[in-house]
Amino acid sequence: MTARAEPAPERLRDHPAFLFFWVSRVASALAFQMLGVAVGWLVYALTGSAVALGLVGLAQFVPILVLTLVAGHVADVFDRRRIVLAGQAIAAFTLALLALGLGGGGVELPAIYAAVVMIGACRAFEHPTLAALLPRIVPGPVLPRALAVSSSALQMATIAGPAVGGFAYAFGPTVPLAGAALCYAAAATAMACVRHPPVATARSGATLASVLSGLSFIRDHKVVLGSISLDLFAVLLGGVTALLPIYASDILDVGSTGLGALRAAPAVGATLMALLLARLPLARHVGPKMFAAVAVFGLATVVFSLSRSFPLSFAALFALGAADNVSVVIRSSLVQLSTPDEMRGRVSAVNSLFVGTSNQLGEFESGMTAALFGAVGAGLVGGLGTIAVALLWMRLFPELRRVDRMPARMPARAQGLR
């Protein structure tokens, strides 16, 4: 009797929709990074104020706070692909208007903040929906690899975006903003090409219980709660992105081109780490590795804060990005592999809200702290705080610390949360 041949393992190349998903995410991230450099440098040039830089982060965070949970419910009820496409198209239109206004010399600071608010609203729908869409495109066995490859796409755009944005700003703020608008338009075009098997969804109305059910799910799953909240508080304290214009201008004296390089440095480290994780996925001791990565993130923030050398500052941000990517891949895999499909939009929305809080509200916090203690003091306190959070969370969430492997398969349904 001949032995039955084992089926060949699935590969990402067997899922062509993933390619369009990847292109859409690259273009969207590229647009956002170009926008970040242009708006950050423009606002600081207009005001010379750390508080004004912090308000840019707050302007992004407020719509995320208000809209994200609703966006999660929408992502579980309507076509996720169309939701992402609409958000990217609106972002492209908003930046095109801002670029035209700046070109005509008729845009004031409030209009810049208003455009940032609109981009934040688009991202409030785009990000959780993208996260919930990916498991429909690729199956569970290859999802961690897809997340690593998708993360590498994000990081490659984060490398190119600041560098291109910083260079383009030398020709005026209109150029990087127009380029960002074109990138968002390309992202929407690629998303329109994504195809996946139809999934039946219950067109239930948006009740308070339904909108908040993602919070209930996370509360009841301590590993998911621990991983998401660890990222929230670590990046909230340790983020120095909002202060990079100050470091580039006043401490390192490297100008807008140097600012682009500094903003790209974490993404360089993250991209190389993402490519490594795509090649050699994390197999064992994922919980301890996540805590170690967060501690390294905090230590790298401390080194950057104290540095007066551009190469050392670049190296510290490189290490920061590499460590952060390990945490991102582990957290994303744990969240997606622990959540049934009919709940992914709402759970991804909560995750996105936490990520948005740590990034955008973290920028606001950094700006306010820098106004009180200076940029160096703010970065130093934040880095030490991140290390303290990692140590504290190891005690608060022993379930996360003991996680050895990723979940083998995705659950079929959520119980009692529909």
Side-chain angles (χ1 to χ4, degrees):
M1 180 181 297
T2 58
R4 178 177 299 176
E6 292 293 331
E10 290 194 81
R11 300 166 298 179
L12 284 179
R13 69 182 66 174
D14 298 326
H15 305 279
F18 179 74
L19 174 61
F20 291 109
F21 178 95
W22 188 90
V23 170
S24 180
R25 190 171 191 194
V26 168
S28 176
L30 183 64
F32 185 72
Q33 293 302 322
M34 292 175 66
L35 172 67
V37 170
V39 169
W41 195 260
L42 177 61
V43 169
Y44 192 61
L46 291 173
T47 65
S49 168
V51 174
L53 284 175
L55 289 175
V56 173
L58 184 63
Q60 294 180 52
F61 171 70
V62 169
I64 291 175
L65 176 65
V66 173
L67 297 174
T68 296
L69 294 182
V70 175
H73 175 84
V74 171
D76 283 334
V77 174
F78 298 100
D79 188 328
R80 293 170 182 171
R81 181 182 62 89
R82 293 183 179 180
I83 296 170
V84 175
L85 193 158
Q88 293 168 342
I90 294 172
F93 181 72
T94 300
L95 291 184
L97 287 180
L98 181 60
L100 288 173
L102 283 172
V107 172
E108 302 292 337
L109 192 62
I112 298 173
Y113 284 131
V116 172
V117 169
M118 180 59 71
I119 297 299
C122 293
R123 287 168 63 84
F125 282 88
E126 180 190 10
H127 273 211
T129 310
L130 273 174
L133 176 61
L134 182 56
R136 287 188 178 176
I137 296 173
V138 297
V142 294
L143 182 60
R145 189 181 299 272
L147 286 167
V149 174
S150 181
S151 177
S152 72
L154 179 65
Q155 300 305 334
M156 283 192 296
T158 308
I159 294 171
V164 173
F167 176 78
Y169 196 93
F171 301 95
T174 300
V175 177
L177 290 174
L182 290 174
C183 286
Y184 267 127
T189 301
M191 184 54 58
C193 297
V194 171
R195 296 291 183 268
H196 60 81
V199 179
T201 56
R203 296 295 181 93
S204 57
T207 65
L208 182 61
S210 175
V211 170
L212 298 181
S213 59
L215 288 169
S216 301
F217 182 91
I218 292 173
R219 179 198 62 200
D220 296 336
H221 292 75
K222 300 303 182 185
V223 169
V224 177
L225 175 61
S227 61
I228 292 178
S229 59
L230 174 63
D231 180 83
L232 164 67
F233 288 103
V235 180
L236 177 64
L237 292 171
V240 292
T241 304
L243 305 180
L244 290 183
I246 300 176
Y247 277 90
S249 175
D250 301 341
I251 297 175
L252 300 175
D253 192 25
V254 291
S256 64
T257 303
L259 171 62
L262 289 175
R263 286 189 67 104
V268 175
T271 298
L272 294 179
M273 180 59 69
L275 294 174
L276 178 63
L277 294 177
R279 181 76 175 175
L280 301 171
L282 295 169
R284 300 293 304 275
H285 312 301
V286 296
K289 287 176 181 176
M290 183 175 185
F291 283 110
V294 172
V296 171
F297 179 93
L299 180 61
T301 302
V302 170
V303 173
F304 173 80
S305 301
L306 297 176
S307 171
R308 296 297 182 274
S309 164
F310 179 78
L312 178 59
S313 297
F314 186 94
L317 291 174
F318 175 95
L320 180 151
D324 184 52
N325 190 260
V326 173
S327 175
V328 166
V329 170
I330 293 175
R331 185 192 75 242
S332 299
S333 298
L334 288 174
V335 170
Q336 296 298 340
L337 290 173
S338 300
T339 308
D341 185 72
E342 74 272 9
M343 285 294 303
R344 276 205 192 96
R346 281 161 285 184
V347 172
S348 295
V350 177
N351 184 31
S352 181
L353 178 60
F354 277 48
V355 170
T357 299
S358 62
N359 290 333
Q360 276 70 57
L361 192 57
E363 291 183 8
F364 177 68
E365 179 270 336
S366 295
M368 297 302 102
T369 307
L372 294 174
F373 306 113
V376 174
L380 184 61
V381 170
L384 294 174
T386 298
I387 297 172
V389 165
L391 295 174
L392 178 61
W393 254 239
M394 290 180 69
R395 293 184 60 87
L396 294 178
F397 294 93
E399 303 91 345
L400 178 58
R401 189 182 69 240
R402 291 193 292 264
V403 172
D404 184 47
R405 298 177 183 270
M406 297 294 182
R409 62 181 60 184
M410 291 178 277
R413 293 190 63 82
Q415 299 297 323
L417 293 175
R418 234 3 229 176

